[in-house]
Amino acid sequence: MSAYRRITIADVKAGDEVRALIDMQSRYLETLGYTEHGVRHVGYVSKTTANILRETGADERTIELGEIAGWLHDVGNSLCRAHHGLLGGTLAYGVLVRLGMDPAEAAHIANAIANHEEETGVAGDALSAALILADKSDAHRSRINKKNYDEFDIHDRVNMSIKKNYLVVDRAKTVIRLVIIMDSTSAPMEYLQIYLDRMVMCEKAASRLGYTFELVINGVLINHHKRGRELALRSHEDILSQD
C-alpha cells in the first residue's frame, strides 16, 4: 500500500505553511503597490482552473490537482516578484510532499506553477494550460487596493475600469472566451499595453487544450475577427442587460 495520501484542496488550505506563504505574498506585493494577490485572487484562480479542466474533459483527480495548483500558484511572490513562477513551483513541491502527497503529483503541480508566467512559461499539458488561462483572466476592479489606488498607474487604471469579466468554455464551438466590460476609467488600448503578452500566452494555452481563445472587450472581438463577431456582440448585450 502506498504511504502517500490523497491530498485535497481542503488539506492544502488548512496547512500552516500554505497560510503563511499566501499571507506573505499578499503583504509583500501590497507593499510594492501591486494589485491584490491574496485569498481573493488565489481563490478565483483555484476555482477557475478546476472549472476549465472540468469543462474540457479532465478526470476528477486532475481537476483536483488544478484546484490545488491555483491556490498555490503565486507563493513564489512570498520571496521575490521576479521569477515568482519558478520560485513558486519549488516552494509548492516541498510543501505538498511534506503534507504527504505523492511526489509525482506534487511535481505535476510544481511544473504548472513554474510555467504560469509569460516571461518563461510554456503550457506543457492540460493542467498548466488551465492554470495560465485562469490566472491571466483575473483583471477586475475588486483587485484594487482602494487605499493605495493611483490613477496615474496604468495597472490600477485598467483594473479599476473593469466592471465585469467572464471566462467561458464553449464546448460546442471549442472556444475559450474571455469577456471584459470596461468603463471610461481606462481603455482597451491600455488593457492591451499590459496584457497583450498574457493574451498571446492564453491563445497558446487554449490551443494545448484543443480550443481557440477569444478575447472580447466591450463587445469587440479583439482576435479571430472572422469568427464569431455576432456572438461577441450578443455576449456584450447579455452582460449589459444584467446590470
Side-chain angles (χ1 to χ4, degrees):
M1 180 180 295
S2 172
Y4 304 123
R5 296 173 51 209
R6 182 184 174 112
I7 299 300
T8 67
I9 185 63
D11 295 324
V12 172
K13 289 181 178 181
D16 290 341
E17 284 188 83
V18 172
R19 286 200 299 267
L21 289 168
I22 291 177
D23 180 60
M24 187 69 246
Q25 80 188 32
S26 178
R27 288 189 288 114
Y28 175 60
L29 291 182
E30 181 179 349
T31 300
L32 296 183
Y34 281 82
T35 50
E36 184 269 337
H37 279 75
V39 170
R40 180 219 157 275
H41 174 62
V42 300
Y44 169 89
V45 175
S46 176
K47 291 178 182 177
T48 304
T49 301
N51 185 62
I52 292 169
L53 289 167
R54 184 178 297 109
E55 292 298 314
T56 54
D59 63 84
E60 284 303 313
R61 185 53 179 165
T62 300
I63 294 169
E64 192 166 38
L65 294 182
E67 198 170 11
I68 293 169
W71 193 259
L72 295 176
H73 79 282
D74 265 346
V75 294
N77 285 302
S78 65
L79 300 181
C80 183
R81 178 62 177 172
H83 307 299
H84 72 272
L86 298 171
L87 293 170
T90 302
L91 285 172
Y93 178 82
V95 168
L96 293 171
V97 168
R98 285 189 290 277
L99 284 173
M101 180 178 276
D102 184 332
E105 289 189 336
H108 194 184
I109 290 172
N111 175 266
I113 292 172
N115 281 282
H116 85 275
E117 283 303 303
E118 61 271 19
E119 293 84 1
T120 56
V122 177
D125 60 13
L127 179 59
S128 58
L131 180 62
I132 288 166
L133 286 156
D135 180 48
K136 305 314 173 195
S137 69
D138 190 23
H140 191 264
R141 60 182 51 180
S142 60
R143 296 194 69 185
I144 294 293
N145 183 336
K146 301 297 192 299
K147 295 181 296 184
N148 299 328
Y149 175 70
D150 181 359
E151 65 178 316
F152 298 105
D153 184 300
I154 188 172
H155 294 84
D156 278 4
R157 273 200 316 276
V158 167
N159 277 276
M160 184 60 78
S161 75
I162 298 176
K163 50 193 282 189
K164 289 188 179 181
N165 67 341
Y166 184 61
L167 187 72
V168 61
V169 177
D170 187 336
R171 285 185 285 183
K173 297 182 180 297
T174 60
V175 167
I176 296 174
R177 186 177 302 108
L178 175 58
V179 179
I180 293 175
I181 304 297
M182 302 176 69
D183 67 21
S184 59
T185 306
S186 182
M189 180 62 79
E190 287 198 322
Y191 177 91
L192 292 174
Q193 278 184 256
I194 59 176
Y195 278 95
L196 183 58
D197 287 347
R198 303 175 204 185
M199 295 300 100
V200 171
M201 192 181 196
C202 284
E203 288 185 329
K204 294 176 181 178
S207 178
R208 175 66 67 181
L209 293 165
Y211 280 66
T212 297
F213 177 75
E214 291 182 350
L215 173 63
V216 179
I217 303 179
N218 290 350
V220 177
L221 188 60
I222 303 300
N223 55 351
H224 302 288
H225 286 285
K226 293 181 179 179
R227 304 180 57 233
R229 178 169 174 76
E230 290 183 7
L231 184 60
L233 292 170
R234 193 178 310 125
S235 297
H236 180 61
E237 291 166 359
D238 288 345
I239 289 173
L240 290 180
S241 69
Q242 296 171 14
D243 289 340

